Amino acid sequence: MSDSENFDPLTPKSRKNYDAQERKFPRGVVIRLFAYLIAGHIFAAFLYLLFAVAGKG
């Protein structure tokens, strides 16, 4: 009987490794999230400024 017949991908091999992966986001996801938040706020500020200037004229 081979090990592949008893392999369960949902069962972690060690609890320590599993906990470390649970708590940490991949670095690329964190950078992308930060960039989207910054870009979203800059776009919202641009729209606010656009409407504020157009409302005065």
Side-chain angles (χ1 to χ4, degrees):
M1 196 177 235
S2 68
D3 289 337
S4 63
E5 293 175 2
N6 298 327
F7 178 71
D8 183 10
L10 300 178
T11 303
K13 292 184 179 179
S14 71
R15 188 69 185 159
K16 181 182 174 188
N17 188 20
Y18 182 72
D19 287 342
Q21 289 177 351
E22 280 284 313
R23 283 185 255 135
K24 205 159 85 169
F25 283 111
R27 184 182 175 109
V29 173
V30 172
I31 292 172
R32 201 173 323 145
L33 179 63
F34 183 72
Y36 289 158
L37 284 173
I38 296 299
H41 281 87
I42 290 172
F43 183 68
F46 171 73
L47 286 179
Y48 177 79
L49 182 66
L50 188 69
F51 280 96
V53 169
K56 291 188 179 202

mmCIF file of all heavy atoms in Angstrom, residues 3-37:
data_model
loop_
_atom_site.group_PDB
_atom_site.id
_atom_site.type_symbol
_atom_site.label_atom_id
_atom_site.label_comp_id
_atom_site.label_asym_id
_atom_site.label_seq_id
_atom_site.Cartn_x
_atom_site.Cartn_y
_atom_site.Cartn_z
ATOM 1 N N ASP A 3 1.785 5.477 0.102
ATOM 2 C CA ASP A 3 1.382 6.623 0.910
ATOM 3 C C ASP A 3 0.346 7.491 0.211
ATOM 4 O O ASP A 3 -0.429 8.182 0.854
ATOM 5 C CB ASP A 3 2.601 7.469 1.264
ATOM 6 C CG ASP A 3 3.486 6.765 2.266
ATOM 7 O OD1 ASP A 3 2.972 5.896 2.988
ATOM 8 O OD2 ASP A 3 4.679 7.093 2.320
ATOM 9 N N SER A 4 0.337 7.481 -1.106
ATOM 10 C CA SER A 4 -0.591 8.346 -1.834
ATOM 11 C C SER A 4 -2.040 7.917 -1.643
ATOM 12 O O SER A 4 -2.952 8.721 -1.792
ATOM 13 C CB SER A 4 -0.241 8.368 -3.321
ATOM 14 O OG SER A 4 -0.377 7.078 -3.869
ATOM 15 N N GLU A 5 -2.273 6.656 -1.307
ATOM 16 C CA GLU A 5 -3.648 6.201 -1.069
ATOM 17 C C GLU A 5 -4.196 6.752 0.244
ATOM 18 O O GLU A 5 -5.396 6.943 0.388
ATOM 19 C CB GLU A 5 -3.693 4.671 -1.051
ATOM 20 C CG GLU A 5 -3.400 4.055 -2.393
ATOM 21 C CD GLU A 5 -3.328 2.542 -2.325
ATOM 22 O OE1 GLU A 5 -3.540 1.989 -1.224
ATOM 23 O OE2 GLU A 5 -3.054 1.935 -3.361
ATOM 24 N N ASN A 6 -3.328 7.029 1.195
ATOM 25 C CA ASN A 6 -3.742 7.538 2.499
ATOM 26 C C ASN A 6 -3.529 9.039 2.639
ATOM 27 O O ASN A 6 -3.732 9.597 3.712
ATOM 28 C CB ASN A 6 -2.975 6.821 3.614
ATOM 29 C CG ASN A 6 -3.263 5.346 3.614
ATOM 30 O OD1 ASN A 6 -4.363 4.917 3.287
ATOM 31 N ND2 ASN A 6 -2.270 4.550 3.952
ATOM 32 N N PHE A 7 -3.129 9.704 1.570
ATOM 33 C CA PHE A 7 -2.816 11.132 1.629
ATOM 34 C C PHE A 7 -4.093 11.956 1.668
ATOM 35 O O PHE A 7 -4.989 11.786 0.849
ATOM 36 C CB PHE A 7 -1.974 11.539 0.430
ATOM 37 C CG PHE A 7 -1.660 13.009 0.394
ATOM 38 C CD1 PHE A 7 -0.771 13.557 1.301
ATOM 39 C CD2 PHE A 7 -2.272 13.834 -0.527
ATOM 40 C CE1 PHE A 7 -0.478 14.905 1.270
ATOM 41 C CE2 PHE A 7 -1.983 15.185 -0.567
ATOM 42 C CZ PHE A 7 -1.085 15.714 0.345
ATOM 43 N N ASP A 8 -4.179 12.840 2.643
ATOM 44 C CA ASP A 8 -5.307 13.767 2.747
ATOM 45 C C ASP A 8 -4.737 15.183 2.700
ATOM 46 O O ASP A 8 -4.078 15.619 3.643
ATOM 47 C CB ASP A 8 -6.070 13.544 4.056
ATOM 48 C CG ASP A 8 -7.289 14.432 4.180
ATOM 49 O OD1 ASP A 8 -7.663 15.081 3.175
ATOM 50 O OD2 ASP A 8 -7.882 14.482 5.267
ATOM 51 N N PRO A 9 -4.970 15.930 1.616
ATOM 52 C CA PRO A 9 -4.368 17.265 1.495
ATOM 53 C C PRO A 9 -4.910 18.275 2.500
ATOM 54 O O PRO A 9 -4.309 19.307 2.719
ATOM 55 C CB PRO A 9 -4.709 17.683 0.062
ATOM 56 C CG PRO A 9 -5.888 16.873 -0.309
ATOM 57 C CD PRO A 9 -5.759 15.585 0.454
ATOM 58 N N LEU A 10 -6.037 17.972 3.117
ATOM 59 C CA LEU A 10 -6.616 18.909 4.075
ATOM 60 C C LEU A 10 -6.084 18.719 5.486
ATOM 61 O O LEU A 10 -6.334 19.536 6.361
ATOM 62 C CB LEU A 10 -8.143 18.774 4.078
ATOM 63 C CG LEU A 10 -8.817 19.064 2.739
ATOM 64 C CD1 LEU A 10 -10.313 18.853 2.851
ATOM 65 C CD2 LEU A 10 -8.525 20.465 2.281
ATOM 66 N N THR A 11 -5.347 17.664 5.713
ATOM 67 C CA THR A 11 -4.775 17.412 7.032
ATOM 68 C C THR A 11 -3.372 18.001 7.088
ATOM 69 O O THR A 11 -2.517 17.622 6.302
ATOM 70 C CB THR A 11 -4.700 15.897 7.307
ATOM 71 O OG1 THR A 11 -6.001 15.344 7.177
ATOM 72 C CG2 THR A 11 -4.174 15.630 8.704
ATOM 73 N N PRO A 12 -3.136 18.965 7.996
ATOM 74 C CA PRO A 12 -1.789 19.556 8.077
ATOM 75 C C PRO A 12 -0.781 18.555 8.623
ATOM 76 O O PRO A 12 -1.115 17.708 9.446
ATOM 77 C CB PRO A 12 -1.972 20.727 9.034
ATOM 78 C CG PRO A 12 -3.185 20.396 9.820
ATOM 79 C CD PRO A 12 -4.064 19.547 8.943
ATOM 80 N N LYS A 13 0.466 18.677 8.154
ATOM 81 C CA LYS A 13 1.514 17.766 8.613
ATOM 82 C C LYS A 13 1.951 18.097 10.021
ATOM 83 O O LYS A 13 2.181 17.230 10.828
ATOM 84 C CB LYS A 13 2.701 17.813 7.661
ATOM 85 C CG LYS A 13 2.366 17.229 6.313
ATOM 86 C CD LYS A 13 3.567 17.204 5.427
ATOM 87 C CE LYS A 13 3.167 16.579 4.108
ATOM 88 N NZ LYS A 13 4.228 16.504 3.155
ATOM 89 N N SER A 14 2.081 19.385 10.307
ATOM 90 C CA SER A 14 2.424 19.782 11.665
ATOM 91 C C SER A 14 1.605 21.010 12.037
ATOM 92 O O SER A 14 1.382 21.892 11.226
ATOM 93 C CB SER A 14 3.923 20.085 11.788
ATOM 94 O OG SER A 14 4.216 21.275 11.107
ATOM 95 N N ARG A 15 1.172 21.054 13.251
ATOM 96 C CA ARG A 15 0.313 22.152 13.710
ATOM 97 C C ARG A 15 1.073 23.479 13.716
ATOM 98 O O ARG A 15 0.511 24.519 13.427
ATOM 99 C CB ARG A 15 -0.215 21.826 15.112
ATOM 100 C CG ARG A 15 -1.244 22.787 15.607
ATOM 101 C CD ARG A 15 -2.527 22.631 14.817
ATOM 102 N NE ARG A 15 -3.468 23.647 15.247
ATOM 103 C CZ ARG A 15 -4.481 24.050 14.537
ATOM 104 N NH1 ARG A 15 -4.716 23.517 13.370
ATOM 105 N NH2 ARG A 15 -5.283 24.972 14.980
ATOM 106 N N LYS A 16 2.364 23.441 14.014
ATOM 107 C CA LYS A 16 3.170 24.662 14.063
ATOM 108 C C LYS A 16 3.239 25.323 12.684
ATOM 109 O O LYS A 16 3.045 26.520 12.551
ATOM 110 C CB LYS A 16 4.571 24.324 14.558
ATOM 111 C CG LYS A 16 5.478 25.510 14.659
ATOM 112 C CD LYS A 16 6.849 25.090 15.117
ATOM 113 C CE LYS A 16 7.796 26.263 15.075
ATOM 114 N NZ LYS A 16 9.165 25.874 15.332
ATOM 115 N N ASN A 17 3.511 24.552 11.670
ATOM 116 C CA ASN A 17 3.595 25.076 10.308
ATOM 117 C C ASN A 17 2.224 25.587 9.861
ATOM 118 O O ASN A 17 2.120 26.606 9.197
ATOM 119 C CB ASN A 17 4.099 23.982 9.368
ATOM 120 C CG ASN A 17 4.402 24.517 7.991
ATOM 121 O OD1 ASN A 17 4.586 25.710 7.828
ATOM 122 N ND2 ASN A 17 4.437 23.649 7.012
ATOM 123 N N TYR A 18 1.183 24.885 10.222
ATOM 124 C CA TYR A 18 -0.184 25.268 9.846
ATOM 125 C C TYR A 18 -0.561 26.605 10.481
ATOM 126 O O TYR A 18 -1.134 27.461 9.826
ATOM 127 C CB TYR A 18 -1.153 24.177 10.282
ATOM 128 C CG TYR A 18 -2.582 24.427 9.910
ATOM 129 C CD1 TYR A 18 -2.998 24.332 8.591
ATOM 130 C CD2 TYR A 18 -3.523 24.770 10.871
ATOM 131 C CE1 TYR A 18 -4.309 24.554 8.234
ATOM 132 C CE2 TYR A 18 -4.834 24.997 10.533
ATOM 133 C CZ TYR A 18 -5.233 24.886 9.217
ATOM 134 O OH TYR A 18 -6.528 25.118 8.875
ATOM 135 N N ASP A 19 -0.221 26.815 11.747
ATOM 136 C CA ASP A 19 -0.536 28.070 12.433
ATOM 137 C C ASP A 19 0.212 29.250 11.820
ATOM 138 O O ASP A 19 -0.329 30.332 11.696
ATOM 139 C CB ASP A 19 -0.196 27.976 13.930
ATOM 140 C CG ASP A 19 -1.196 27.104 14.685
ATOM 141 O OD1 ASP A 19 -2.300 26.873 14.162
ATOM 142 O OD2 ASP A 19 -0.851 26.660 15.789
ATOM 143 N N ALA A 20 1.458 29.040 11.430
ATOM 144 C CA ALA A 20 2.246 30.114 10.832
ATOM 145 C C ALA A 20 1.641 30.534 9.500
ATOM 146 O O ALA A 20 1.612 31.708 9.169
ATOM 147 C CB ALA A 20 3.692 29.666 10.642
ATOM 148 N N GLN A 21 1.144 29.593 8.727
ATOM 149 C CA GLN A 21 0.531 29.918 7.443
ATOM 150 C C GLN A 21 -0.817 30.597 7.635
ATOM 151 O O GLN A 21 -1.209 31.419 6.830
ATOM 152 C CB GLN A 21 0.357 28.660 6.606
ATOM 153 C CG GLN A 21 1.661 28.109 6.088
ATOM 154 C CD GLN A 21 1.468 26.814 5.325
ATOM 155 O OE1 GLN A 21 0.382 26.247 5.337
ATOM 156 N NE2 GLN A 21 2.512 26.350 4.684
ATOM 157 N N GLU A 22 -1.542 30.257 8.662
ATOM 158 C CA GLU A 22 -2.848 30.848 8.924
ATOM 159 C C GLU A 22 -2.734 32.328 9.261
ATOM 160 O O GLU A 22 -3.583 33.109 8.891
ATOM 161 C CB GLU A 22 -3.526 30.136 10.104
ATOM 162 C CG GLU A 22 -4.168 28.832 9.734
ATOM 163 C CD GLU A 22 -5.466 29.033 8.992
ATOM 164 O OE1 GLU A 22 -6.295 29.839 9.430
ATOM 165 O OE2 GLU A 22 -5.634 28.379 7.951
ATOM 166 N N ARG A 23 -1.702 32.712 9.992
ATOM 167 C CA ARG A 23 -1.571 34.079 10.491
ATOM 168 C C ARG A 23 -0.952 35.038 9.490
ATOM 169 O O ARG A 23 -1.057 36.240 9.661
ATOM 170 C CB ARG A 23 -0.735 34.086 11.765
ATOM 171 C CG ARG A 23 -1.529 33.614 12.968
ATOM 172 C CD ARG A 23 -0.719 33.748 14.220
ATOM 173 N NE ARG A 23 -0.281 32.401 14.585
ATOM 174 C CZ ARG A 23 0.921 32.076 14.963
ATOM 175 N NH1 ARG A 23 1.849 32.974 15.051
ATOM 176 N NH2 ARG A 23 1.228 30.849 15.260
ATOM 177 N N LYS A 24 -0.285 34.542 8.459
ATOM 178 C CA LYS A 24 0.500 35.403 7.592
ATOM 179 C C LYS A 24 -0.091 35.455 6.180
ATOM 180 O O LYS A 24 -0.390 34.432 5.592
ATOM 181 C CB LYS A 24 1.920 34.849 7.532
ATOM 182 C CG LYS A 24 2.940 35.885 7.194
ATOM 183 C CD LYS A 24 4.317 35.472 7.630
ATOM 184 C CE LYS A 24 5.002 34.607 6.626
ATOM 185 N NZ LYS A 24 6.403 34.405 6.905
ATOM 186 N N PHE A 25 -0.280 36.683 5.651
ATOM 187 C CA PHE A 25 -0.698 36.854 4.270
ATOM 188 C C PHE A 25 0.541 36.794 3.382
ATOM 189 O O PHE A 25 1.626 37.212 3.799
ATOM 190 C CB PHE A 25 -1.354 38.222 4.063
ATOM 191 C CG PHE A 25 -2.753 38.298 4.576
ATOM 192 C CD1 PHE A 25 -3.055 39.071 5.669
ATOM 193 C CD2 PHE A 25 -3.768 37.623 3.937
ATOM 194 C CE1 PHE A 25 -4.340 39.159 6.144
ATOM 195 C CE2 PHE A 25 -5.058 37.704 4.392
ATOM 196 C CZ PHE A 25 -5.351 38.470 5.494
ATOM 197 N N PRO A 26 0.384 36.349 2.156
ATOM 198 C CA PRO A 26 1.521 36.424 1.227
ATOM 199 C C PRO A 26 1.913 37.878 0.985
ATOM 200 O O PRO A 26 1.058 38.772 0.982
ATOM 201 C CB PRO A 26 0.979 35.788 -0.051
ATOM 202 C CG PRO A 26 -0.166 34.948 0.387
ATOM 203 C CD PRO A 26 -0.738 35.620 1.595
ATOM 204 N N ARG A 27 3.184 38.117 0.792
ATOM 205 C CA ARG A 27 3.689 39.483 0.647
ATOM 206 C C ARG A 27 3.058 40.200 -0.546
ATOM 207 O O ARG A 27 2.746 41.385 -0.469
ATOM 208 C CB ARG A 27 5.208 39.435 0.499
ATOM 209 C CG ARG A 27 5.845 40.787 0.435
ATOM 210 C CD ARG A 27 7.346 40.655 0.250
ATOM 211 N NE ARG A 27 7.952 41.945 0.059
ATOM 212 C CZ ARG A 27 8.715 42.539 0.952
ATOM 213 N NH1 ARG A 27 8.959 41.936 2.089
ATOM 214 N NH2 ARG A 27 9.223 43.723 0.709
ATOM 215 N N GLY A 28 2.854 39.505 -1.646
ATOM 216 C CA GLY A 28 2.256 40.110 -2.835
ATOM 217 C C GLY A 28 0.838 40.603 -2.581
ATOM 218 O O GLY A 28 0.438 41.646 -3.103
ATOM 219 N N VAL A 29 0.088 39.874 -1.781
ATOM 220 C CA VAL A 29 -1.290 40.271 -1.472
ATOM 221 C C VAL A 29 -1.292 41.545 -0.636
ATOM 222 O O VAL A 29 -2.091 42.457 -0.876
ATOM 223 C CB VAL A 29 -2.033 39.134 -0.732
ATOM 224 C CG1 VAL A 29 -3.393 39.593 -0.249
ATOM 225 C CG2 VAL A 29 -2.174 37.917 -1.621
ATOM 226 N N VAL A 30 -0.389 41.637 0.306
ATOM 227 C CA VAL A 30 -0.311 42.823 1.163
ATOM 228 C C VAL A 30 0.072 44.051 0.339
ATOM 229 O O VAL A 30 -0.538 45.124 0.480
ATOM 230 C CB VAL A 30 0.707 42.598 2.313
ATOM 231 C CG1 VAL A 30 0.942 43.871 3.090
ATOM 232 C CG2 VAL A 30 0.227 41.487 3.223
ATOM 233 N N ILE A 31 1.054 43.897 -0.543
ATOM 234 C CA ILE A 31 1.482 45.030 -1.388
ATOM 235 C C ILE A 31 0.366 45.457 -2.323
ATOM 236 O O ILE A 31 0.094 46.650 -2.490
ATOM 237 C CB ILE A 31 2.752 44.653 -2.170
ATOM 238 C CG1 ILE A 31 3.919 44.488 -1.209
ATOM 239 C CG2 ILE A 31 3.074 45.691 -3.234
ATOM 240 C CD1 ILE A 31 5.167 43.929 -1.830
ATOM 241 N N ARG A 32 -0.320 44.495 -2.936
ATOM 242 C CA ARG A 32 -1.411 44.818 -3.850
ATOM 243 C C ARG A 32 -2.562 45.493 -3.120
ATOM 244 O O ARG A 32 -3.137 46.470 -3.608
ATOM 245 C CB ARG A 32 -1.896 43.536 -4.527
ATOM 246 C CG ARG A 32 -2.632 43.784 -5.796
ATOM 247 C CD ARG A 32 -2.951 42.491 -6.513
ATOM 248 N NE ARG A 32 -1.873 41.533 -6.381
ATOM 249 C CZ ARG A 32 -2.054 40.222 -6.276
ATOM 250 N NH1 ARG A 32 -3.241 39.707 -6.295
ATOM 251 N NH2 ARG A 32 -1.022 39.406 -6.155
ATOM 252 N N LEU A 33 -2.895 45.005 -1.939
ATOM 253 C CA LEU A 33 -3.966 45.610 -1.149
ATOM 254 C C LEU A 33 -3.615 47.045 -0.778
ATOM 255 O O LEU A 33 -4.445 47.955 -0.892
ATOM 256 C CB LEU A 33 -4.210 44.786 0.117
ATOM 257 C CG LEU A 33 -5.279 45.282 1.074
ATOM 258 C CD1 LEU A 33 -6.645 45.258 0.401
ATOM 259 C CD2 LEU A 33 -5.301 44.438 2.319
ATOM 260 N N PHE A 34 -2.392 47.277 -0.349
ATOM 261 C CA PHE A 34 -1.936 48.617 -0.003
ATOM 262 C C PHE A 34 -1.995 49.542 -1.220
ATOM 263 O O PHE A 34 -2.472 50.672 -1.128
ATOM 264 C CB PHE A 34 -0.508 48.542 0.553
ATOM 265 C CG PHE A 34 0.026 49.862 1.016
ATOM 266 C CD1 PHE A 34 -0.449 50.437 2.174
ATOM 267 C CD2 PHE A 34 1.003 50.527 0.283
ATOM 268 C CE1 PHE A 34 0.047 51.669 2.614
ATOM 269 C CE2 PHE A 34 1.499 51.743 0.704
ATOM 270 C CZ PHE A 34 1.016 52.316 1.873
ATOM 271 N N ALA A 35 -1.546 49.054 -2.372
ATOM 272 C CA ALA A 35 -1.560 49.862 -3.595
ATOM 273 C C ALA A 35 -2.989 50.199 -4.007
ATOM 274 O O ALA A 35 -3.273 51.334 -4.407
ATOM 275 C CB ALA A 35 -0.836 49.126 -4.723
ATOM 276 N N TYR A 36 -3.896 49.239 -3.938
ATOM 277 C CA TYR A 36 -5.293 49.497 -4.297
ATOM 278 C C TYR A 36 -5.933 50.493 -3.340
ATOM 279 O O TYR A 36 -6.713 51.343 -3.764
ATOM 280 C CB TYR A 36 -6.097 48.209 -4.314
ATOM 281 C CG TYR A 36 -5.781 47.280 -5.464
ATOM 282 C CD1 TYR A 36 -6.076 45.926 -5.382
ATOM 283 C CD2 TYR A 36 -5.189 47.738 -6.634
ATOM 284 C CE1 TYR A 36 -5.808 45.072 -6.426
ATOM 285 C CE2 TYR A 36 -4.896 46.890 -7.679
ATOM 286 C CZ TYR A 36 -5.216 45.551 -7.577
ATOM 287 O OH TYR A 36 -4.944 44.711 -8.607
ATOM 288 N N LEU A 37 -5.610 50.403 -2.067
ATOM 289 C CA LEU A 37 -6.171 51.353 -1.103
ATOM 290 C C LEU A 37 -5.669 52.765 -1.374
ATOM 291 O O LEU A 37 -6.445 53.728 -1.363
ATOM 292 C CB LEU A 37 -5.823 50.932 0.325
ATOM 293 C CG LEU A 37 -6.626 49.757 0.872
ATOM 294 C CD1 LEU A 37 -6.067 49.328 2.228
ATOM 295 C CD2 LEU A 37 -8.088 50.124 1.006
#
